[in-house]
Amino acid sequence: MASIVHDRDNTIETPGRRAPLVTGGHDLHGVTEVVCRVAESRSAPGAWYLTMGVSAALLAALGAMIGYLFFEGVGVWGLNNPVGWGFDITNFVFWVGIGHAGTLISAILYLFRQKWRTGINRFAEAMTIFAVMCAGLFPGIHIGRVWLAFYLFPLPNQMAMWPNFRSPLLWDVFAVGTYFTVSLLFWYMGLIPDLATLRDRAKTKLSAFLYGLFSMGWTGSARHWHRYERAYLILAALSTPLVLSVHSVVSFDFATSVLPGWHTTIFPPYFVAGAIFSGFAMVVMLAIPCRALFGLKDLITLRHLDNMNKVILATGLMVGYAYTTEFFVAWYSGSAWELFAFKARAMGPWWWSYWIMFSCNVFVPQIFWFRWARTSIPVMLVVSVLVNVGMWFERFVIIVTSLSTDFLPSAWDTYWPTWVEAWTMAGSFGLFFFMFGLFCKFLPMVAISEVKAVLPHDAHAGGAGGHGH
Amino acid sequence: MSASTVTQKSTAGPATAPHTLVAEFASADALVRACEQVRNAGYTRWDAHSPYPVHGIDRAIGIRATRLPVLIFLCGATGTTIGVLLQWWTNAVNAGVQFPWVPTFLQGYNFIISGKPYWSFPANIPVIFELTILLSAFGAFFGMLALNGLPQHYNPLLRLDRFRRVTDDRFFISIGLDDPKYGSATRRLLEGAGAAAVEIADDVKESAPPRWFLRAHVMLACFLLIPLAVIAYMRVDKQSQPRIHIVQDMDNQERYTAGKQMANDVFADGRSARPKIAGTLAREDFTQDPHYYQGRVGDQWATGIPMYHPELQRLAGGAAEVNEQLMRRGRDRYAIFCSHCHGLDGAGAGRVATYVVQREIGFVPPKSYADPDVLVRPVGHLFNTITNGIRTMAPHGDQIPVADRWAIVAYVKALQRAQAATIEDVPTEQRSRMTQPK
C-alpha cells in the first residue's frame, strides 16, 4: 500500500502511516538476493579493490612500524617526561570510542524497539569489532617490554605477582576485553542464520564448507529461534550497561588522576556521549560508500542515514555542553591550576588542536538541524569525516595539553609525534579498513533474517514492522 | 507417499533410509495455521522452520519458555563471585602467604597502594561488573547453542534441495518418521493444512565415520601431546647449559673489555684499559706495608717516619730523611686540613673549635699538642689519628694522601717540640735575636 513517493523517499513523514523500513518493494527472496549477491559475486567493485590495496599497504606499514618499535623500544616514539602518553593512547581512546556505535545500535536500539536498526546493525557491529581490535593494539604495544604483556592479566606465576586491581588501567583490560568478547559473540550470533543462508545458496565446495562450518548447522527451527531470540534479548540487555561502562572506565584512566584537566567527574558521561558521537559518524562514513557500491540502497535507506544524523546532532550537542561545562567548572572551582589548564587548552601552544576539536564537534553538526542537510549525501559525508577528525583531536587535546603543562613549570615539556607514530596511526586505519573490506565482501553486510522479520509481509511477521499496514 | 515407497535420491552415495517428512509452506501465516493443526493432531517429534522468527509460532507449536535466562543468571552470579574472590585473594589478604600449603603461583598478598585500604570495594566494582557481564554473555551464547544442540553439522534435512530455501523465503514443517503418530495420514494432514509440497528427507544408514578419519585424529592427538611432553621433561630435567635467553632485557650488553685491549674513542690515549688513578690503594698494600699505610710495626705504633717509602722521598725532594722540604709540605697541608680546629700553633684554639665550643653543642675540643698525653704519643699513633679520627675529630684518610699525612705528622712533631721548647733548643747563633726586646 506504500505510495510511490514513499518508495522513492522514505524520509517524508506522513501522518497516520509509517514510513517503510525497506524501499524498492522487496519480498523475502528479494532481501536475500540483495545481500547475498555481494558475497556470491566473483568480482567486486573497483573501489573495493582500491580500498583493499591501499589498506593492505597501510597494514603492512603497521606491521613494519610495530616490528621496528619492538626491536628498538618506545624511544622511537616522541614521548617524553612529562608527556608519557601521545598518539598511542589518543588512538586507543579514539578507536574504542568508534566502537561504541555498533553496540549502541545493536543493543540499546534493540531494547528501545527501533526497528530501523536492522538495516545497519550488522555492519555497525562489525565496525565495532574491528575498531576495538585497533584500540586494543595500542595499549598492547605501548608498554615497552611487550614480551611481558601477560603481566596485564591475573595469571598465576612463579613470582606470585598479581596486577593491582585498584588501578583504572587494569579496569581497562577487563572492560575492553569484555567489550570485545561480548561484541564478537553478539555479532557472531546474529551472523549464524545469515551464514546459513549463504551456506544454502553456496555454489562452490569451499564456500559451502566454510559457511556451513560457521553456521553451525542452523535450520531455522522454531525451537532454535525461540532460544535464539531470548539469548539475543538478554545479550542486548547485558551489552547496554556494558557499552556505557566501557568508555566510563576508559575515562577513569584520566579522571582518577590528579592532573588538572583530567581530574573531573564529568568525564564518564562526557566520554560516553563522545564515543557514540564519533561511532555514529563512522557508521555514516562507512554506510555511504557501502550502500552505493554494493547496491544496498533499498536496505540502508536515506531514512537510516537521516536517523543517524539526528543521533550525531544530539550527541554533538551533549559533547558541546560538556566542553562548556568543563570551562565553567574550571572557573567556578577556584582552582588556579584547573583554570590555567583550560586556558592553556584554548589559548596555549595547542590552541589550534582545541579549536579543530571544538569546530568539528560542536559547530559543524549544527547543520543537521536542517532536513536537507540530513538527507544530502555529500553534506553528511563531509560532516561525518569532520566529526571523526574532531573527536580524534578531542582525545589528543585532553591527553597532550594536560600532560605537557602540569603543576610545575619546570617540569613542562612539549610533544611532537615521530614518523613512526604517524605511520602506526595510519596503519591502524589500514587494519580497520582491511578487515572491514573483507567483511563487506565475504559476509552478509545486512542482517538478512532481521530485515525479513520487519518486512511488511503479513500479520504474523515477527515485529512491529508489519504493524500500521 | 509412505515411507516404504521412498525412492533413493542418489544411487552413487552411501545407503540411505527415510528419516523425516518435510512439508513446504509459502507464507508464515500458512505455517502457523498448519502448526496448530499438527499440534492438535497430537504429534510430538516435529518442528517448524522459517527464515526469520515467526510471530506467534511458539504458541502454535506449544514451545515452553526456555530455561536459558536461569542459566545466564547462574553464569552471571559465577562471574560476580569470581570477581570478588579473585581481587580479594590476590590483593587484599595475606592468607596466600600465611598458609604454606598454598603453592607459590597461587599466593596472594596485601597490596600496599598509596596507603589505601587493602579492600576498598568501590575500586573493585569495575572488574566485578565486567566479569559478571562477560560470564553472562558466555552463558547466553554458549547456553543457547548447547540447548539448541548446535553445532550440528550433519542434519538429514540439509540433504534436501527443497529445504535449502528455509533460509531464504520458504517455511517448513518437519515430522520425524519415528513420531508415534506418524502414518499414512500425516501427509494428508499436511497437504490439507496448505503445504505447497511434501517430501521425505533421507538419512545415511551407516553413520560411523570412516576408519582413516579416526586414525588421523588419533595421530593428530599424539602429535599434539609432543610439545606438552617436552615441556614436562624440561621442567624436571637438569641442564648444564644456561637457559636460552630469548629476551635480553639489557642483561647482556656490548661493552669495552679491558682484557681484550679494545680501542676506545672516549679517552685521549685510545685505550679502553685505564691506568691506575694516582693514589689508588690496593688491598694488599695495607697488609704488606703496615708501617707506611697504618703507622704500625707489629703490635706497636711506629716510632719513626717511613722515609724508606718512595712517595715520601719524593715529597722530601729525593732525600731519605725528614728535611725542610718535607716540613714545608707538612706545614702547607696542616694549614689546609688541620689549622681551623687545632690552630696554627697546635694549641687547639682554631677558629672552628673556638666557635663550636662557645655554642656548647657536644663537641670535644681538640687537645693541645703540648698536652702530656699527646706529647708521648709515637708518630704512628698520630698518623692513625689523622687517618681514622678520634672522638669528634672526623677521619681524614679519604681526604689526605698517605705521604701527605706523614708530612703533617712530621710537622706536628715539630709543633710539639716548639711548644715545649727551651732556649737550649735554639741554635746558638740565633739566640741573640730571640732575646732582643721587640
Side-chain angles (χ1 to χ4, degrees):
Chain A
M1 290 212 292
S3 67
I4 293 167
V5 174
H6 255 94
D7 277 351
R8 228 183 306 130
D9 181 2
N10 61 347
T11 61
I12 295 170
E13 300 289 351
T14 315
R17 64 186 306 281
R18 283 171 193 260
L21 295 168
V22 175
T23 56
H26 290 288
D27 59 0
L28 293 176
H29 182 66
V31 172
T32 310
E33 276 296 325
V34 166
V35 181
C36 293
R37 204 163 51 201
V38 181
E40 287 163 357
S41 139
R42 293 189 70 98
S43 62
W48 183 81
Y49 290 106
L50 182 69
T51 309
M52 291 304 277
V54 172
S55 54
L58 286 175
L59 184 58
L62 177 70
M65 289 305 111
I66 292 177
Y68 182 56
L69 172 80
F70 286 1
F71 196 78
E72 287 291 324
V74 281
V76 300
W77 287 353
L79 303 176
N80 56 45
N81 206 348
V83 189
W85 284 353
F87 265 34
D88 48 352
I89 302 302
T90 301
N91 288 328
F92 162 67
V93 182
F94 172 76
W95 281 118
V96 170
I98 293 293
H100 276 57
T103 316
L104 186 101
I105 290 168
S106 54
I108 297 180
L109 295 188
Y110 183 79
L111 294 184
F112 284 129
R113 297 178 188 278
Q114 295 297 306
K115 296 294 176 190
W116 59 275
R117 68 179 266 290
T118 55
I120 51 170
N121 72 333
R122 170 67 44 72
F123 81 82
E125 286 168 28
M127 180 203 76
T128 290
I129 288 161
F130 307 140
V132 177
M133 281 166 63
C134 292
L137 179 75
F138 284 97
I141 61 173
H142 96 300
I143 54 174
R145 294 195 285 170
V146 282
W147 47 94
L148 300 179
F150 62 90
Y151 282 9
L152 290 166
F153 307 100
L155 299 173
N157 57 76
Q158 291 296 313
M159 296 173 283
M161 186 185 63
W162 300 100
N164 169 22
F165 279 104
R166 277 163 284 171
S167 161
L169 299 178
L170 188 81
W171 306 344
D172 251 7
V173 174
F174 279 82
V176 176
T178 300
Y179 187 49
F180 179 74
T181 313
V182 173
S183 301
L184 190 66
L185 290 180
F186 205 13
W187 180 65
Y188 180 55
M189 203 175 119
L191 268 173
I192 289 175
D194 296 352
L195 289 174
T197 304
L198 285 169
R199 170 201 67 196
D200 290 343
R201 292 165 54 94
K203 300 285 189 296
T204 66
K205 277 205 155 184
L206 181 68
S207 59
F209 173 75
L210 288 176
Y211 289 131
L213 184 67
F214 288 105
S215 60
M216 295 197 169
W218 183 261
T219 56
S221 151
R223 296 168 206 279
H224 290 184
W225 275 122
H226 171 71
R227 299 190 187 98
Y228 177 93
E229 285 206 291
R230 185 48 60 97
Y232 200 91
L233 176 69
I234 293 175
L235 269 182
L238 291 168
S239 302
T240 300
L242 177 65
V243 71
L244 298 179
S245 84
V246 174
H247 229 54
S248 299
V249 167
V250 170
S251 78
F252 289 158
D253 292 349
F254 307 99
T256 57
S257 76
V258 294
L259 202 62
W262 284 9
H263 186 60
T264 59
T265 50
I266 200 177
F267 263 20
Y270 154 34
F271 268 51
V272 172
I276 294 164
F277 181 54
S278 63
F280 266 85
M282 188 62 105
V283 175
V284 171
M285 206 175 98
L286 295 172
I288 292 168
C290 281
R291 69 197 278 274
L293 283 176
F294 298 110
L296 298 171
K297 284 184 179 176
D298 288 338
L299 301 182
I300 304 169
T301 64
L302 209 52
R303 191 180 179 85
H304 288 96
L305 298 172
D306 183 18
N307 283 343
M308 287 193 278
N309 291 336
K310 286 175 185 167
V311 175
I312 290 175
L313 174 62
T315 47
L317 288 171
M318 289 180 209
V319 169
Y321 174 70
Y323 295 158
T324 321
T325 307
E326 271 190 325
F327 258 87
F328 170 75
V329 171
W331 165 74
Y332 189 68
S333 66
S335 163
W337 291 279
E338 196 72 18
L339 189 58
F340 172 80
F342 280 91
K343 277 186 186 165
R345 271 185 194 175
M347 291 170 280
W350 302 98
W351 65 271
W352 50 271
S353 61
Y354 182 86
W355 290 107
I356 289 176
M357 165 196 103
F358 204 94
S359 314
C360 290
N361 293 348
V362 184
F363 298 141
V364 169
Q366 300 308 318
I367 198 171
F368 282 156
W369 286 108
F370 304 102
R371 204 180 80 90
W372 65 265
R374 288 201 305 273
T375 53
S376 156
I377 297 290
V379 169
M380 67 177 92
L381 190 62
V382 169
V383 171
S384 60
V385 170
L386 285 179
V387 164
N388 274 315
V389 170
M391 283 308 291
W392 188 90
F393 270 101
E394 180 196 298
R395 281 62 179 251
F396 182 82
V397 164
I398 290 174
I399 291 170
V400 172
T401 63
S402 296
L403 281 173
S404 62
T405 51
D406 61 356
F407 297 100
L408 280 178
S410 62
W412 292 357
D413 202 348
T414 188
Y415 163 77
W416 198 253
T418 62
W419 62 275
V420 180
E421 283 166 290
W423 278 105
T424 307
M425 179 184 164
S428 72
F429 279 89
L431 171 65
F432 179 78
F433 284 107
F434 188 79
M435 299 297 288
F436 196 80
L438 287 180
F439 159 75
C440 286
K441 182 69 191 76
F442 297 107
L443 290 174
M445 230 182 305
V446 174
I448 305 171
S449 65
E450 292 190 44
V451 171
K452 284 176 185 169
V454 299
L455 276 183
H457 30 68
D458 58 31
H460 286 289
H467 299 177
H469 284 268
Chain B
M1 184 165 50
S2 70
S4 57
T5 60
V6 166
T7 52
Q8 297 286 329
K9 279 231 155 205
S10 74
T11 48
T16 56
H19 185 270
T20 310
L21 185 75
V22 178
E24 179 184 322
F25 296 86
S27 74
D29 271 352
L31 178 73
V32 171
R33 278 193 301 273
C35 282
E36 283 164 354
Q37 291 184 32
V38 173
R39 184 191 181 192
N40 291 338
Y43 288 88
T44 48
R45 306 180 79 85
W46 67 288
D47 205 346
H49 305 266
S50 56
Y52 58 90
V54 174
H55 192 63
I57 194 123
D58 294 354
R59 202 173 55 244
I61 298 181
I63 299 174
R64 278 173 300 181
T66 172
R67 293 160 298 162
L68 191 61
V70 180
L71 182 73
I72 296 171
F73 175 79
L74 292 177
C75 288
T78 310
T80 313
T81 314
I82 291 174
V84 172
L85 290 181
L86 175 70
Q87 297 183 76
W88 174 76
W89 177 262
T90 57
N91 277 193
V93 282
N94 266 334
V97 178
Q98 282 163 2
F99 299 114
W101 48 266
V102 178
T104 308
F105 63 92
L106 288 179
Q107 283 182 359
Y109 42 88
N110 281 334
F111 258 41
I112 301 172
I113 305 290
S114 311
K116 291 169 190 162
Y118 297 122
W119 184 242
S120 49
F121 200 67
N124 298 115
I125 286 175
V127 170
I128 295 171
F129 174 81
E130 302 297 343
L131 283 176
T132 306
I133 297 278
L134 182 66
L135 268 74
S136 303
F138 283 150
F141 180 75
F142 294 108
M144 183 276 288
L145 288 184
L147 291 176
N148 282 347
L150 299 176
Q152 183 193 353
H153 283 113
Y154 174 77
N155 191 331
L157 294 175
L158 297 176
R159 295 171 63 87
L160 273 188
D161 283 340
R162 181 186 299 284
F163 191 74
R164 290 179 182 277
R165 288 181 73 176
V166 72
T167 53
D168 183 8
D169 59 350
R170 282 296 184 270
F171 303 81
F172 292 88
I173 287 178
S174 65
I175 301 180
L177 265 53
D178 54 351
D179 190 296
K181 296 282 282 183
Y182 183 81
S184 52
T186 309
R187 173 178 282 264
R188 282 198 300 278
L189 170 74
L190 290 169
E191 280 166 352
V198 181
E199 200 175 343
I200 286 190
D202 297 338
D203 195 7
V204 183
K205 271 181 183 165
E206 184 62 55
S207 60
R211 287 192 90 83
W212 65 264
F213 185 77
L214 291 174
R215 283 203 196 110
H217 275 78
V218 169
M219 282 180 70
L220 182 67
C222 290
F223 276 116
L224 290 176
L225 284 175
I226 291 175
L228 292 175
V230 170
I231 290 170
Y233 174 69
M234 287 297 181
R235 284 198 59 93
V236 293
D237 186 41
K238 297 257 188 307
Q239 305 282 330
S240 58
Q241 294 291 314
R243 68 187 172 96
I244 301 168
H245 215 110
I246 298 170
V247 175
Q248 291 294 323
D249 270 341
M250 300 168 80
D251 290 341
N252 302 299
Q253 300 179 58
E254 285 186 44
R255 63 182 187 274
Y256 292 105
T257 310
K260 292 182 182 169
Q261 299 195 341
M262 298 161 82
N264 188 336
D265 296 337
V266 173
F267 300 103
D269 61 3
R271 299 195 298 178
S272 61
R274 305 308 306 156
K276 195 168 78 170
I277 294 167
T280 308
L281 295 184
R283 281 181 181 277
E284 304 88 70
D285 292 341
F286 289 95
T287 51
Q288 285 174 4
D289 191 355
H291 185 180
Y292 179 70
Y293 287 107
Q294 298 176 36
R296 291 198 302 196
V297 177
D299 293 340
Q300 303 294 316
W301 294 121
T303 51
I305 293 180
M307 289 308 295
Y308 60 84
H309 198 277
E311 192 63 19
L312 263 176
Q313 289 178 4
R314 192 177 63 78
L315 288 186
E321 56 194 16
V322 179
N323 58 7
E324 189 177 351
Q325 190 176 345
L326 186 70
M327 280 297 192
R328 287 189 183 280
R329 174 71 182 173
R331 185 174 70 180
D332 180 54
R333 298 292 103 183
Y334 179 88
I336 292 171
F337 289 105
C338 317
S339 64
H340 46 272
C341 279
H342 290 277
L344 284 169
D345 57 356
R351 290 289 301 263
V352 173
T354 313
Y355 177 86
V356 178
V357 168
Q358 279 171 355
R359 273 151 190 79
E360 300 172 356
I361 50 177
F363 179 77
V364 180
K367 283 183 176 174
S368 167
Y369 293 149
D371 187 280
D373 289 344
V374 183
L375 270 179
V376 299
R377 279 180 189 161
V379 290
H381 195 168
L382 296 179
F383 177 85
N384 181 66
T385 302
I386 297 172
T387 306
N388 296 319
I390 189 168
R391 295 185 287 272
T392 45
M393 174 177 161
H396 286 65
D398 53 350
Q399 299 177 30
I400 313 172
V402 180
D404 278 344
R405 267 177 263 159
W406 281 114
I408 291 172
V409 168
Y411 182 66
V412 167
K413 288 310 283 183
L415 286 176
Q416 282 183 332
R417 189 73 190 276
Q419 296 273 318
T422 61
I423 195 68
E424 302 302 324
D425 293 320
V426 183
T428 322
E429 62 273 18
Q430 301 283 344
R431 284 178 192 171
S432 56
R433 287 175 56 202
M434 293 190 69
T435 51
Q436 282 175 357
K438 286 188 178 170

